[in-house]
Amino acid sequence: MTDTAGQVALPDRVIASLGSARRGDTLIVVGAVHGNEPAGWEASRRVASALADREEHLQGRVTFITGNRRALSVRRRFVDRDLNRAWTSSVVERIRSEGPGTSAEDLEQADLIRELDELVATSAGTTWLLDLHTTSATGGAFSTVADALPARELALRLPVPLVLGLEEMVDGTLHDWIGDHGVVTVAFESGQHDEPEAVDRAEAAIWLILEGTGLIHSSHLPEAADARKLLARDSAGLPTALEMRYRHPVDGGDEFVMAPGWANFQMVRRGETLAEDSEGPVRSPERGRMLMPLYQEQGEDGFFVVREFSAFWLWVSE
């Protein structure tokens, strides 16, 4: 991503916008809200290219968006501040009323607000959003939603574990903020940042969400069957549903270092040493499974502990 003068060039905000908002619903697919997570952005480019010759079959509109262009161009989680912890009412209202400041993420967020506002305002039906991410650890893909029935029903079309309760432990995510404004949102974690399979899983998720929203009939989605098989194979043996039990926050002064070798969904014992920080060993307060252990320089979440529960209770809550 360099221009003719050798300078770092920013990728396009809108990768592609296909179909027409006047025909029905709108699906927004966002990749690379964190710049060191390019898999969703790459998958969006693949799907947008493959869909271009089927645009007439779309019963609505699908728009593929780059999240943090400045961070993506240098492959860092963020440049000045974490863009996926900034979607609080106070920050958004400040940017709306006063305009952005000078930070890279202020400029990114202001542009994203304008783009998302326009897409939501011009949608003739339901607006859906798929937020694509990856983690610094190896292990299974999973989805997460704010616990609303339409979002949960859509997420369950992806044959991967569904993790509930993340929004109660992490503030300021894009998918939470836009979900509070009437958009049905699903976040999907497709694997480790740099593994090629993470792009394949993110692509599979897009195909299945397109099918699940009804924006294009399954007869025009030959990719959906293979996408379902891919995600089901990679999630074999993992629970259907899990709930958040614990989040370990970190900041720069903690000297937090995750113990090596942890993977997503690996079993954790209560009291087991998981990391070290300036105060000594960091032990798990819960039994359960590891989720998103921190193996990168930037980040505010050391690790999460999740615990499975019966999918029966999902049905009961409906």
Side-chain angles (χ1 to χ4, degrees):
M1 281 181 280
T2 57
D3 61 20
T4 55
Q7 301 296 314
V8 174
L10 299 182
D12 293 335
R13 173 72 66 204
V14 177
I15 298 167
S17 191
L18 304 170
S20 170
R22 295 189 299 273
R23 296 181 197 163
D25 295 352
T26 290
L27 171 63
I28 305 166
V29 180
V30 183
V33 171
H34 290 134
N36 65 331
E37 302 177 15
W41 178 73
E42 294 283 5
S44 294
R45 296 169 71 202
R46 283 189 194 175
V47 175
S49 177
L51 269 183
D53 61 358
R54 285 173 264 175
E55 189 170 6
E56 71 274 15
H57 299 299
L58 283 167
Q59 302 302 308
R61 172 179 60 185
V62 56
T63 301
F64 300 90
I65 289 182
T66 307
N68 192 334
R69 300 176 303 158
R70 287 167 172 83
L72 178 63
S73 68
V74 293
R75 290 300 196 270
R76 289 178 58 82
R77 181 178 173 89
F78 56 86
V79 177
D80 297 310
R81 61 173 173 83
D82 193 330
L83 184 59
N84 209 35
R85 298 294 184 270
W87 295 90
T88 61
S89 297
S90 59
V91 172
V92 173
E93 289 311 311
R94 172 183 64 80
I95 291 175
R96 286 193 195 279
S97 61
E98 302 174 14
T102 58
S103 77
E105 276 72 28
D106 260 25
L107 298 171
E108 292 292 318
Q109 193 166 7
D111 195 45
L112 278 169
I113 290 169
R114 287 191 294 271
E115 190 65 46
L116 294 170
D117 281 351
E118 175 69 14
L119 289 168
V120 173
T122 56
S123 177
T126 301
T127 303
W128 313 81
L129 184 136
L130 176 62
D131 187 14
L132 296 167
H133 289 269
T134 51
T135 70
S136 61
T138 58
F142 65 94
S143 65
T144 184
V145 298
D147 200 10
L149 289 179
R152 188 196 301 173
E153 290 170 359
L154 183 61
L156 287 172
R157 290 180 170 271
L158 304 174
V160 298
L162 171 61
V163 177
L164 299 179
L166 181 63
E167 79 283 356
E168 297 173 10
M169 296 189 175
V170 177
D171 294 326
T173 64
L174 168 63
H175 111 107
D176 252 6
W177 171 77
I178 201 165
D180 288 341
H181 291 77
V183 176
V184 181
T185 66
V186 174
F188 181 73
E189 302 272 357
S190 66
Q192 200 275 337
H193 297 327
D194 301 316
E195 60 176 342
E197 294 83 0
V199 183
D200 298 336
R201 295 186 200 107
E203 180 182 350
I206 299 172
W207 291 122
L208 293 179
I209 293 295
L210 277 166
E211 180 186 61
T213 57
L215 275 164
I216 186 167
H217 193 271
S218 57
S219 62
H220 301 296
L221 285 177
E223 297 89 349
D226 285 341
R228 193 171 291 107
K229 290 176 184 176
L230 171 66
L231 295 184
R233 182 198 68 204
D234 287 357
S235 298
L238 295 177
T240 299
L242 304 99
E243 61 176 343
M244 282 287 178
R245 301 291 299 179
Y246 176 73
R247 168 185 176 261
H248 188 82
V250 300
D251 63 40
D254 288 342
E255 300 177 12
F256 177 89
V257 179
M258 194 75 206
W262 286 101
N264 289 313
F265 299 113
Q266 189 172 340
M267 298 300 298
V268 171
R269 300 186 306 273
R270 182 178 180 180
E272 185 170 6
T273 298
L274 305 179
E276 299 275 342
D277 65 15
S278 57
E279 297 185 359
V282 177
R283 295 182 171 89
S284 176
E286 297 267 357
R287 67 171 178 84
R289 292 175 183 262
M290 173 65 68
L291 196 67
M292 294 188 286
L294 184 67
Y295 290 117
Q296 58 190 23
E297 292 182 5
Q298 295 175 309
E300 303 79 28
D301 311 309
F303 60 86
F304 297 82
V305 177
V306 296
R307 190 182 299 171
E308 65 185 282
F309 65 93
S310 172
F312 168 78
W313 294 110
L314 290 175
W315 175 80
V316 168
S317 66
E318 289 182 23

